Amino acid sequence: MRRIDKILKHATFTACMEKNREWEKDRVFCRHDMGHFLSVARIAHLLNLKKKLKQKKEVVYAAALLHDIGRFRQYEAQIPHEQASAALAPGILKDCGFGDKETEMIVDAIRSHRNEKIRKEKSLRGILYQADKLSRDCFFCPVEKDCNWKHDKKNMRIRY
């Protein structure tokens, strides 16, 4: 996963991760950190295999690693983080060796990862949406009762 290693070392990616970390240092609810990104990546990859979608592993991991990198923009400028992340991703993807078609598909998945209408799609978009929700450990969260997520969106058991 050579291209994924490049993402992890990319200056824009690491800067975004640091900005997210700073903005969320006192956050009691789920954070948008490497733990979350890797959980989403691994679950999305499992869903990809289970549903036989045949997406490249690097494409799945790239979408997961980049889907929330713009979260800090939501905090600082009220820009929805899926839009901010979709705007940041193309430059990183290009620098890391992803082609135009892969980039377009990854950015589309990032841009739509909060759109409930795609949750059942058998596509990169669909598995990114599902993995994002399934990655949350609501079943073990000490502040779950205070979380503003609707109960039907909360992940109350281990599935993957």
Tab-separated table of all heavy atoms in Angstrom, residues 92-154:
chain	number	residue	atom	x	y	z
A	92	ILE	N	-3.848	15.973	-2.454
A	92	ILE	CA	-3.145	14.889	-1.756
A	92	ILE	C	-3.122	13.643	-2.637
A	92	ILE	O	-2.081	13.008	-2.806
A	92	ILE	CB	-3.823	14.590	-0.400
A	92	ILE	CG1	-3.736	15.809	0.528
A	92	ILE	CG2	-3.209	13.351	0.253
A	92	ILE	CD1	-4.588	15.700	1.783
A	93	LEU	N	-4.280	13.293	-3.182
A	93	LEU	CA	-4.381	12.088	-4.009
A	93	LEU	C	-3.467	12.167	-5.226
A	93	LEU	O	-2.773	11.198	-5.562
A	93	LEU	CB	-5.835	11.861	-4.424
A	93	LEU	CG	-6.771	11.465	-3.277
A	93	LEU	CD1	-8.232	11.627	-3.693
A	93	LEU	CD2	-6.476	10.057	-2.795
A	94	LYS	N	-3.445	13.319	-5.894
A	94	LYS	CA	-2.579	13.492	-7.065
A	94	LYS	C	-1.115	13.314	-6.682
A	94	LYS	O	-0.372	12.586	-7.338
A	94	LYS	CB	-2.803	14.865	-7.700
A	94	LYS	CG	-1.942	15.100	-8.923
A	94	LYS	CD	-2.149	16.470	-9.524
A	94	LYS	CE	-1.232	16.643	-10.727
A	94	LYS	NZ	-1.213	18.001	-11.224
A	95	ASP	N	-0.710	13.981	-5.599
A	95	ASP	CA	0.679	13.891	-5.138
A	95	ASP	C	1.077	12.469	-4.757
A	95	ASP	O	2.254	12.116	-4.812
A	95	ASP	CB	0.912	14.802	-3.924
A	95	ASP	CG	0.874	16.279	-4.264
A	95	ASP	OD1	0.889	16.633	-5.467
A	95	ASP	OD2	0.820	17.086	-3.310
A	96	CYS	N	0.102	11.676	-4.370
A	96	CYS	CA	0.384	10.317	-3.895
A	96	CYS	C	0.199	9.250	-4.965
A	96	CYS	O	0.283	8.053	-4.680
A	96	CYS	CB	-0.464	10.015	-2.662
A	96	CYS	SG	-0.043	11.082	-1.257
A	97	GLY	N	-0.073	9.676	-6.209
A	97	GLY	CA	-0.083	8.745	-7.325
A	97	GLY	C	-1.430	8.187	-7.735
A	97	GLY	O	-1.501	7.231	-8.514
A	98	PHE	N	-2.525	8.773	-7.263
A	98	PHE	CA	-3.856	8.314	-7.676
A	98	PHE	C	-4.224	8.982	-8.991
A	98	PHE	O	-3.964	10.172	-9.192
A	98	PHE	CB	-4.892	8.630	-6.598
A	98	PHE	CG	-4.757	7.758	-5.378
A	98	PHE	CD1	-3.871	8.093	-4.367
A	98	PHE	CD2	-5.488	6.590	-5.256
A	98	PHE	CE1	-3.716	7.289	-3.246
A	98	PHE	CE2	-5.354	5.772	-4.149
A	98	PHE	CZ	-4.459	6.123	-3.139
A	99	GLY	N	-4.834	8.217	-9.880
A	99	GLY	CA	-5.249	8.727	-11.177
A	99	GLY	C	-6.527	9.539	-11.094
A	99	GLY	O	-7.196	9.583	-10.057
A	100	ASP	N	-6.878	10.154	-12.211
A	100	ASP	CA	-8.055	11.021	-12.261
A	100	ASP	C	-9.352	10.287	-11.914
A	100	ASP	O	-10.167	10.797	-11.154
A	100	ASP	CB	-8.192	11.680	-13.632
A	100	ASP	CG	-7.088	12.695	-13.915
A	100	ASP	OD1	-6.414	13.136	-12.958
A	100	ASP	OD2	-6.901	13.035	-15.100
A	101	LYS	N	-9.548	9.091	-12.467
A	101	LYS	CA	-10.781	8.347	-12.200
A	101	LYS	C	-10.866	7.906	-10.742
A	101	LYS	O	-11.922	7.989	-10.124
A	101	LYS	CB	-10.912	7.143	-13.135
A	101	LYS	CG	-11.259	7.525	-14.557
A	101	LYS	CD	-11.518	6.322	-15.428
A	101	LYS	CE	-11.870	6.794	-16.839
A	101	LYS	NZ	-12.285	5.718	-17.707
A	102	GLU	N	-9.737	7.447	-10.203
A	102	GLU	CA	-9.713	7.061	-8.788
A	102	GLU	C	-9.997	8.273	-7.905
A	102	GLU	O	-10.796	8.192	-6.969
A	102	GLU	CB	-8.346	6.481	-8.418
A	102	GLU	CG	-8.036	5.142	-9.010
A	102	GLU	CD	-6.619	4.700	-8.735
A	102	GLU	OE1	-5.677	5.532	-8.827
A	102	GLU	OE2	-6.442	3.511	-8.426
A	103	THR	N	-9.366	9.385	-8.227
A	103	THR	CA	-9.557	10.606	-7.444
A	103	THR	C	-11.008	11.050	-7.473
A	103	THR	O	-11.584	11.385	-6.443
A	103	THR	CB	-8.626	11.723	-7.963
A	103	THR	OG1	-7.269	11.316	-7.750
A	103	THR	CG2	-8.879	13.045	-7.254
A	104	GLU	N	-11.601	11.026	-8.649
A	104	GLU	CA	-13.006	11.426	-8.784
A	104	GLU	C	-13.917	10.540	-7.932
A	104	GLU	O	-14.809	11.031	-7.230
A	104	GLU	CB	-13.411	11.341	-10.253
A	104	GLU	CG	-14.812	11.837	-10.546
A	104	GLU	CD	-15.131	11.755	-12.030
A	104	GLU	OE1	-14.289	12.162	-12.849
A	104	GLU	OE2	-16.234	11.273	-12.352
A	105	MET	N	-13.678	9.246	-7.954
A	105	MET	CA	-14.496	8.315	-7.185
A	105	MET	C	-14.294	8.511	-5.678
A	105	MET	O	-15.251	8.519	-4.895
A	105	MET	CB	-14.147	6.872	-7.571
A	105	MET	CG	-14.999	5.834	-6.899
A	105	MET	SD	-14.754	4.152	-7.542
A	105	MET	CE	-12.987	4.021	-7.646
A	106	ILE	N	-13.057	8.708	-5.252
A	106	ILE	CA	-12.748	8.914	-3.835
A	106	ILE	C	-13.364	10.221	-3.345
A	106	ILE	O	-13.996	10.262	-2.289
A	106	ILE	CB	-11.223	8.895	-3.601
A	106	ILE	CG1	-10.669	7.485	-3.850
A	106	ILE	CG2	-10.874	9.393	-2.198
A	106	ILE	CD1	-9.152	7.426	-3.978
A	107	VAL	N	-13.194	11.281	-4.108
A	107	VAL	CA	-13.744	12.588	-3.716
A	107	VAL	C	-15.268	12.538	-3.657
A	107	VAL	O	-15.879	13.103	-2.740
A	107	VAL	CB	-13.229	13.708	-4.659
A	107	VAL	CG1	-13.965	15.013	-4.418
A	107	VAL	CG2	-11.724	13.895	-4.472
A	108	ASP	N	-15.886	11.858	-4.588
A	108	ASP	CA	-17.347	11.702	-4.558
A	108	ASP	C	-17.784	10.964	-3.287
A	108	ASP	O	-18.763	11.346	-2.646
A	108	ASP	CB	-17.823	10.972	-5.812
A	108	ASP	CG	-19.328	10.850	-5.879
A	108	ASP	OD1	-20.034	11.847	-5.609
A	108	ASP	OD2	-19.815	9.745	-6.189
A	109	ALA	N	-17.058	9.922	-2.924
A	109	ALA	CA	-17.382	9.167	-1.702
A	109	ALA	C	-17.210	10.048	-0.465
A	109	ALA	O	-18.051	10.024	0.444
A	109	ALA	CB	-16.512	7.916	-1.604
A	110	ILE	N	-16.155	10.830	-0.431
A	110	ILE	CA	-15.911	11.733	0.702
A	110	ILE	C	-17.032	12.770	0.790
A	110	ILE	O	-17.588	13.003	1.865
A	110	ILE	CB	-14.537	12.433	0.558
A	110	ILE	CG1	-13.399	11.423	0.733
A	110	ILE	CG2	-14.406	13.586	1.552
A	110	ILE	CD1	-12.032	11.950	0.315
A	111	ARG	N	-17.357	13.377	-0.338
A	111	ARG	CA	-18.372	14.433	-0.380
A	111	ARG	C	-19.739	13.913	0.085
A	111	ARG	O	-20.519	14.642	0.680
A	111	ARG	CB	-18.485	14.996	-1.794
A	111	ARG	CG	-19.392	16.209	-1.890
A	111	ARG	CD	-19.479	16.779	-3.302
A	111	ARG	NE	-18.182	17.224	-3.797
A	111	ARG	CZ	-17.489	16.613	-4.763
A	111	ARG	NH1	-17.956	15.533	-5.358
A	111	ARG	NH2	-16.326	17.089	-5.151
A	112	SER	N	-20.021	12.649	-0.157
A	112	SER	CA	-21.350	12.119	0.158
A	112	SER	C	-21.388	11.211	1.383
A	112	SER	O	-22.411	10.595	1.653
A	112	SER	CB	-21.911	11.388	-1.059
A	112	SER	OG	-21.053	10.350	-1.449
A	113	HIS	N	-20.301	11.157	2.168
A	113	HIS	CA	-20.244	10.181	3.256
A	113	HIS	C	-21.208	10.456	4.417
A	113	HIS	O	-21.377	9.606	5.283
A	113	HIS	CB	-18.806	9.994	3.772
A	113	HIS	CG	-18.343	10.990	4.788
A	113	HIS	ND1	-17.700	12.150	4.436
A	113	HIS	CD2	-18.406	10.981	6.126
A	113	HIS	CE1	-17.392	12.810	5.532
A	113	HIS	NE2	-17.812	12.129	6.580
A	114	ARG	N	-21.878	11.581	4.396
A	114	ARG	CA	-22.878	11.874	5.434
A	114	ARG	C	-24.307	11.837	4.879
A	114	ARG	O	-25.256	12.090	5.611
A	114	ARG	CB	-22.597	13.245	6.051
A	114	ARG	CG	-21.262	13.261	6.793
A	114	ARG	CD	-20.968	14.599	7.404
A	114	ARG	NE	-21.917	14.890	8.467
A	114	ARG	CZ	-22.250	16.117	8.852
A	114	ARG	NH1	-21.719	17.165	8.253
A	114	ARG	NH2	-23.104	16.301	9.826
A	115	ASN	N	-24.449	11.491	3.615
A	115	ASN	CA	-25.747	11.474	2.951
A	115	ASN	C	-26.419	10.113	3.169
A	115	ASN	O	-26.026	9.117	2.564
A	115	ASN	CB	-25.566	11.758	1.463
A	115	ASN	CG	-26.857	11.767	0.700
A	115	ASN	OD1	-27.913	11.423	1.226
A	115	ASN	ND2	-26.781	12.158	-0.561
A	116	GLU	N	-27.430	10.086	4.004
A	116	GLU	CA	-28.086	8.831	4.361
A	116	GLU	C	-28.694	8.114	3.152
A	116	GLU	O	-28.852	6.895	3.161
A	116	GLU	CB	-29.155	9.087	5.418
A	116	GLU	CG	-29.684	7.840	6.049
A	116	GLU	CD	-30.589	8.103	7.230
A	116	GLU	OE1	-30.770	9.268	7.630
A	116	GLU	OE2	-31.120	7.118	7.755
A	117	LYS	N	-29.005	8.847	2.103
A	117	LYS	CA	-29.614	8.243	0.912
A	117	LYS	C	-28.710	7.213	0.232
A	117	LYS	O	-29.192	6.361	-0.495
A	117	LYS	CB	-30.001	9.330	-0.095
A	117	LYS	CG	-31.115	10.224	0.390
A	117	LYS	CD	-31.386	11.331	-0.593
A	117	LYS	CE	-32.459	12.276	-0.044
A	117	LYS	NZ	-32.659	13.432	-0.907
A	118	ILE	N	-27.408	7.290	0.475
A	118	ILE	CA	-26.472	6.371	-0.190
A	118	ILE	C	-26.107	5.167	0.671
A	118	ILE	O	-25.338	4.315	0.245
A	118	ILE	CB	-25.189	7.101	-0.622
A	118	ILE	CG1	-24.446	7.633	0.592
A	118	ILE	CG2	-25.487	8.202	-1.616
A	118	ILE	CD1	-22.969	7.698	0.392
A	119	ARG	N	-26.654	5.067	1.843
A	119	ARG	CA	-26.197	4.059	2.814
A	119	ARG	C	-26.313	2.625	2.327
A	119	ARG	O	-25.557	1.769	2.765
A	119	ARG	CB	-26.901	4.232	4.151
A	119	ARG	CG	-28.374	3.926	4.144
A	119	ARG	CD	-28.975	4.267	5.502
A	119	ARG	NE	-30.411	4.294	5.432
A	119	ARG	CZ	-31.190	3.266	5.749
A	119	ARG	NH1	-30.656	2.166	6.194
A	119	ARG	NH2	-32.484	3.361	5.625
A	120	LYS	N	-27.210	2.334	1.423
A	120	LYS	CA	-27.371	0.957	0.942
A	120	LYS	C	-26.739	0.730	-0.427
A	120	LYS	O	-26.818	-0.365	-0.969
A	120	LYS	CB	-28.849	0.584	0.913
A	120	LYS	CG	-29.438	0.493	2.311
A	120	LYS	CD	-30.833	-0.064	2.300
A	120	LYS	CE	-31.347	-0.143	3.737
A	120	LYS	NZ	-32.643	-0.788	3.808
A	121	GLU	N	-26.116	1.753	-0.967
A	121	GLU	CA	-25.468	1.606	-2.273
A	121	GLU	C	-24.359	0.563	-2.214
A	121	GLU	O	-23.618	0.502	-1.238
A	121	GLU	CB	-24.826	2.931	-2.720
A	121	GLU	CG	-25.766	3.910	-3.324
A	121	GLU	CD	-25.035	5.130	-3.887
A	121	GLU	OE1	-23.788	5.087	-4.085
A	121	GLU	OE2	-25.714	6.128	-4.127
A	122	LYS	N	-24.245	-0.197	-3.256
A	122	LYS	CA	-23.135	-1.130	-3.400
A	122	LYS	C	-22.064	-0.414	-4.213
A	122	LYS	O	-21.911	-0.636	-5.416
A	122	LYS	CB	-23.599	-2.418	-4.064
A	122	LYS	CG	-24.498	-3.230	-3.159
A	122	LYS	CD	-24.867	-4.549	-3.777
A	122	LYS	CE	-25.725	-5.324	-2.794
A	122	LYS	NZ	-26.089	-6.633	-3.320
A	123	SER	N	-21.379	0.485	-3.511
A	123	SER	CA	-20.379	1.341	-4.140
A	123	SER	C	-19.403	1.809	-3.069
A	123	SER	O	-19.619	1.578	-1.876
A	123	SER	CB	-21.065	2.578	-4.747
A	123	SER	OG	-21.641	3.360	-3.709
A	124	LEU	N	-18.344	2.477	-3.499
A	124	LEU	CA	-17.406	3.064	-2.539
A	124	LEU	C	-18.136	4.045	-1.637
A	124	LEU	O	-17.906	4.077	-0.429
A	124	LEU	CB	-16.248	3.751	-3.280
A	124	LEU	CG	-15.192	4.399	-2.386
A	124	LEU	CD1	-14.495	3.360	-1.516
A	124	LEU	CD2	-14.178	5.150	-3.242
A	125	ARG	N	-19.032	4.817	-2.210
A	125	ARG	CA	-19.821	5.780	-1.417
A	125	ARG	C	-20.598	5.060	-0.318
A	125	ARG	O	-20.603	5.489	0.834
A	125	ARG	CB	-20.811	6.527	-2.314
A	125	ARG	CG	-20.174	7.454	-3.285
A	125	ARG	CD	-21.083	7.997	-4.366
A	125	ARG	NE	-22.504	7.856	-4.221
A	125	ARG	CZ	-23.394	8.812	-4.455
A	125	ARG	NH1	-22.994	9.991	-4.853
A	125	ARG	NH2	-24.674	8.590	-4.336
A	126	GLY	N	-21.266	3.995	-0.683
A	126	GLY	CA	-22.093	3.260	0.267
A	126	GLY	C	-21.282	2.639	1.389
A	126	GLY	O	-21.663	2.720	2.560
A	127	ILE	N	-20.153	2.020	1.042
A	127	ILE	CA	-19.377	1.373	2.104
A	127	ILE	C	-18.665	2.395	2.996
A	127	ILE	O	-18.475	2.140	4.183
A	127	ILE	CB	-18.402	0.304	1.571
A	127	ILE	CG1	-17.352	0.878	0.642
A	127	ILE	CG2	-19.167	-0.846	0.930
A	127	ILE	CD1	-16.255	-0.110	0.226
A	128	LEU	N	-18.302	3.553	2.444
A	128	LEU	CA	-17.699	4.589	3.290
A	128	LEU	C	-18.732	5.115	4.282
A	128	LEU	O	-18.443	5.283	5.463
A	128	LEU	CB	-17.129	5.730	2.439
A	128	LEU	CG	-16.394	6.823	3.217
A	128	LEU	CD1	-15.178	6.258	3.955
A	128	LEU	CD2	-15.973	7.951	2.278
A	129	TYR	N	-19.942	5.366	3.818
A	129	TYR	CA	-21.023	5.798	4.717
A	129	TYR	C	-21.226	4.771	5.832
A	129	TYR	O	-21.262	5.118	7.012
A	129	TYR	CB	-22.327	5.997	3.935
A	129	TYR	CG	-23.493	6.346	4.830
A	129	TYR	CD1	-23.796	7.670	5.103
A	129	TYR	CD2	-24.257	5.353	5.449
A	129	TYR	CE1	-24.856	7.996	5.956
A	129	TYR	CE2	-25.301	5.669	6.296
A	129	TYR	CZ	-25.593	6.993	6.548
A	129	TYR	OH	-26.624	7.311	7.401
A	130	GLN	N	-21.372	3.514	5.461
A	130	GLN	CA	-21.636	2.461	6.445
A	130	GLN	C	-20.473	2.310	7.418
A	130	GLN	O	-20.681	2.214	8.641
A	130	GLN	CB	-21.882	1.131	5.742
A	130	GLN	CG	-23.151	1.086	4.940
A	130	GLN	CD	-23.195	-0.123	4.022
A	130	GLN	OE1	-22.700	-1.186	4.372
A	130	GLN	NE2	-23.767	0.049	2.849
A	131	ALA	N	-19.258	2.278	6.908
A	131	ALA	CA	-18.083	2.092	7.758
A	131	ALA	C	-17.912	3.249	8.737
A	131	ALA	O	-17.513	3.040	9.887
A	131	ALA	CB	-16.832	1.939	6.898
A	132	ASP	N	-18.226	4.453	8.297
A	132	ASP	CA	-18.134	5.623	9.174
A	132	ASP	C	-19.040	5.440	10.395
A	132	ASP	O	-18.642	5.716	11.522
A	132	ASP	CB	-18.502	6.879	8.393
A	132	ASP	CG	-18.198	8.166	9.137
A	132	ASP	OD1	-17.204	8.219	9.887
A	132	ASP	OD2	-18.963	9.128	8.948
A	133	LYS	N	-20.242	4.953	10.176
A	133	LYS	CA	-21.179	4.738	11.288
A	133	LYS	C	-20.764	3.529	12.132
A	133	LYS	O	-20.802	3.568	13.354
A	133	LYS	CB	-22.611	4.540	10.777
A	133	LYS	CG	-23.142	5.663	9.891
A	133	LYS	CD	-23.103	7.011	10.575
A	133	LYS	CE	-23.537	8.128	9.673
A	133	LYS	NZ	-22.457	8.806	8.970
A	134	LEU	N	-20.386	2.440	11.475
A	134	LEU	CA	-20.024	1.214	12.186
A	134	LEU	C	-18.733	1.347	12.993
A	134	LEU	O	-18.490	0.561	13.904
A	134	LEU	CB	-19.879	0.057	11.191
A	134	LEU	CG	-21.181	-0.431	10.549
A	134	LEU	CD1	-20.877	-1.352	9.379
A	134	LEU	CD2	-22.057	-1.123	11.579
A	135	SER	N	-17.933	2.340	12.674
A	135	SER	CA	-16.649	2.510	13.371
A	135	SER	C	-16.820	3.099	14.765
A	135	SER	O	-15.908	3.024	15.586
A	135	SER	CB	-15.734	3.427	12.559
A	135	SER	OG	-16.197	4.770	12.625
A	136	ARG	N	-17.947	3.671	15.037
A	136	ARG	CA	-18.170	4.335	16.321
A	136	ARG	C	-18.528	3.323	17.404
A	136	ARG	O	-19.372	2.458	17.214
A	136	ARG	CB	-19.283	5.374	16.195
A	136	ARG	CG	-19.010	6.445	15.162
A	136	ARG	CD	-17.709	7.156	15.420
A	136	ARG	NE	-17.554	8.300	14.538
A	136	ARG	CZ	-16.611	9.200	14.692
A	136	ARG	NH1	-15.731	9.094	15.647
A	136	ARG	NH2	-16.527	10.207	13.855
A	137	ASP	N	-17.886	3.445	18.546
A	137	ASP	CA	-18.088	2.519	19.661
A	137	ASP	C	-19.144	3.032	20.631
A	137	ASP	O	-18.916	3.120	21.839
A	137	ASP	CB	-16.770	2.296	20.399
A	137	ASP	CG	-15.686	1.693	19.518
A	137	ASP	OD1	-16.040	0.990	18.565
A	137	ASP	OD2	-14.503	1.923	19.806
A	138	CYS	N	-20.317	3.368	20.112
A	138	CYS	CA	-21.403	3.908	20.936
A	138	CYS	C	-21.767	2.958	22.080
A	138	CYS	O	-22.116	3.394	23.171
A	138	CYS	CB	-22.637	4.181	20.090
A	138	CYS	SG	-22.332	5.257	18.664
A	139	PHE	N	-21.663	1.665	21.826
A	139	PHE	CA	-22.011	0.653	22.813
A	139	PHE	C	-21.137	0.734	24.058
A	139	PHE	O	-21.501	0.215	25.108
A	139	PHE	CB	-21.907	-0.758	22.215
A	139	PHE	CG	-20.553	-1.065	21.631
A	139	PHE	CD1	-19.519	-1.535	22.409
A	139	PHE	CD2	-20.323	-0.862	20.280
A	139	PHE	CE1	-18.273	-1.803	21.864
A	139	PHE	CE2	-19.087	-1.130	19.716
A	139	PHE	CZ	-18.054	-1.600	20.517
A	140	PHE	N	-19.990	1.390	23.970
A	140	PHE	CA	-19.049	1.457	25.088
A	140	PHE	C	-18.691	2.891	25.457
A	140	PHE	O	-17.776	3.135	26.210
A	140	PHE	CB	-17.779	0.667	24.720
A	140	PHE	CG	-16.913	0.331	25.886
A	140	PHE	CD1	-17.349	-0.535	26.867
A	140	PHE	CD2	-15.646	0.874	25.997
A	140	PHE	CE1	-16.541	-0.845	27.954
A	140	PHE	CE2	-14.829	0.573	27.079
A	140	PHE	CZ	-15.285	-0.297	28.054
A	141	CYS	N	-19.429	3.842	24.939
A	141	CYS	CA	-19.105	5.253	25.130
A	141	CYS	C	-19.679	5.774	26.451
A	141	CYS	O	-20.884	5.646	26.698
A	141	CYS	CB	-19.665	6.069	23.966
A	141	CYS	SG	-19.332	7.836	24.125
A	142	PRO	N	-18.849	6.400	27.279
A	142	PRO	CA	-19.339	6.912	28.559
A	142	PRO	C	-20.282	8.111	28.430
A	142	PRO	O	-21.004	8.428	29.369
A	142	PRO	CB	-18.063	7.302	29.311
A	142	PRO	CG	-17.033	7.511	28.251
A	142	PRO	CD	-17.416	6.601	27.111
A	143	VAL	N	-20.295	8.776	27.267
A	143	VAL	CA	-21.174	9.927	27.075
A	143	VAL	C	-22.248	9.649	26.016
A	143	VAL	O	-22.849	10.578	25.487
A	143	VAL	CB	-20.375	11.214	26.738
A	143	VAL	CG1	-19.530	11.660	27.925
A	143	VAL	CG2	-19.515	11.019	25.502
A	144	GLU	N	-22.494	8.378	25.734
A	144	GLU	CA	-23.463	7.997	24.694
A	144	GLU	C	-24.825	8.630	24.932
A	144	GLU	O	-25.464	9.119	24.015
A	144	GLU	CB	-23.584	6.466	24.625
A	144	GLU	CG	-24.597	5.959	23.633
A	144	GLU	CD	-25.988	5.754	24.219
A	144	GLU	OE1	-26.085	5.358	25.390
A	144	GLU	OE2	-26.974	6.005	23.499
A	145	LYS	N	-25.266	8.672	26.165
A	145	LYS	CA	-26.603	9.218	26.463
A	145	LYS	C	-26.688	10.717	26.181
A	145	LYS	O	-27.768	11.249	25.965
A	145	LYS	CB	-27.005	8.912	27.901
A	145	LYS	CG	-26.180	9.610	28.957
A	145	LYS	CD	-26.630	9.218	30.352
A	145	LYS	CE	-25.915	9.884	31.459
A	145	LYS	NZ	-24.507	10.095	31.389
A	146	ASP	N	-25.565	11.404	26.144
A	146	ASP	CA	-25.536	12.843	25.872
A	146	ASP	C	-25.290	13.166	24.397
A	146	ASP	O	-25.366	14.326	24.001
A	146	ASP	CB	-24.442	13.511	26.714
A	146	ASP	CG	-24.668	13.329	28.200
A	146	ASP	OD1	-25.830	13.421	28.647
A	146	ASP	OD2	-23.680	13.069	28.916
A	147	CYS	N	-25.006	12.151	23.609
A	147	CYS	CA	-24.693	12.333	22.187
A	147	CYS	C	-25.952	12.733	21.420
A	147	CYS	O	-27.038	12.202	21.668
A	147	CYS	CB	-24.134	11.022	21.628
A	147	CYS	SG	-23.719	11.089	19.875
A	148	ASN	N	-25.797	13.627	20.449
A	148	ASN	CA	-26.958	14.092	19.689
A	148	ASN	C	-27.272	13.229	18.465
A	148	ASN	O	-28.174	13.547	17.709
A	148	ASN	CB	-26.797	15.561	19.284
A	148	ASN	CG	-25.664	15.787	18.306
A	148	ASN	OD1	-24.986	14.859	17.883
A	148	ASN	ND2	-25.438	17.038	17.954
A	149	TRP	N	-26.528	12.139	18.262
A	149	TRP	CA	-26.881	11.215	17.182
A	149	TRP	C	-28.210	10.565	17.493
A	149	TRP	O	-28.490	10.214	18.649
A	149	TRP	CB	-25.820	10.123	17.081
A	149	TRP	CG	-24.728	10.375	16.086
A	149	TRP	CD1	-24.328	11.574	15.597
A	149	TRP	CD2	-23.896	9.391	15.498
A	149	TRP	NE1	-23.289	11.396	14.737
A	149	TRP	CE2	-23.003	10.070	14.653
A	149	TRP	CE3	-23.814	8.011	15.601
A	149	TRP	CZ2	-22.041	9.406	13.911
A	149	TRP	CZ3	-22.848	7.366	14.862
A	149	TRP	CH2	-21.979	8.054	14.026
A	150	LYS	N	-29.030	10.383	16.482
A	150	LYS	CA	-30.279	9.645	16.660
A	150	LYS	C	-29.946	8.209	17.047
A	150	LYS	O	-28.956	7.637	16.575
A	150	LYS	CB	-31.106	9.654	15.369
A	150	LYS	CG	-31.606	11.027	14.997
A	150	LYS	CD	-32.372	10.970	13.688
A	150	LYS	CE	-32.813	12.355	13.289
A	150	LYS	NZ	-33.469	12.374	11.993
A	151	HIS	N	-30.788	7.625	17.901
A	151	HIS	CA	-30.502	6.290	18.408
A	151	HIS	C	-30.325	5.264	17.279
A	151	HIS	O	-29.451	4.395	17.364
A	151	HIS	CB	-31.585	5.816	19.385
A	151	HIS	CG	-31.237	4.536	20.056
A	151	HIS	ND1	-30.265	4.459	21.034
A	151	HIS	CD2	-31.672	3.273	19.849
A	151	HIS	CE1	-30.132	3.203	21.418
A	151	HIS	NE2	-30.982	2.466	20.716
A	152	ASP	N	-31.101	5.374	16.215
A	152	ASP	CA	-31.001	4.387	15.129
A	152	ASP	C	-29.699	4.509	14.336
A	152	ASP	O	-29.333	3.600	13.590
A	152	ASP	CB	-32.217	4.453	14.197
A	152	ASP	CG	-32.352	5.774	13.468
A	152	ASP	OD1	-31.893	6.813	13.989
A	152	ASP	OD2	-32.946	5.779	12.373
A	153	LYS	N	-28.963	5.615	14.499
A	153	LYS	CA	-27.669	5.763	13.848
A	153	LYS	C	-26.517	5.276	14.735
A	153	LYS	O	-25.426	5.037	14.259
A	153	LYS	CB	-27.410	7.228	13.483
A	153	LYS	CG	-28.093	7.680	12.229
A	153	LYS	CD	-27.560	9.029	11.823
A	153	LYS	CE	-28.172	9.451	10.502
A	153	LYS	NZ	-27.657	10.747	10.071
A	154	LYS	N	-26.784	5.162	16.027
A	154	LYS	CA	-25.735	4.761	16.964
A	154	LYS	C	-25.377	3.297	16.774
A	154	LYS	O	-26.242	2.453	16.539
A	154	LYS	CB	-26.161	5.025	18.394
A	154	LYS	CG	-26.262	6.498	18.727
A	154	LYS	CD	-26.658	6.715	20.173
A	154	LYS	CE	-26.770	8.202	20.475
A	154	LYS	NZ	-27.187	8.425	21.859
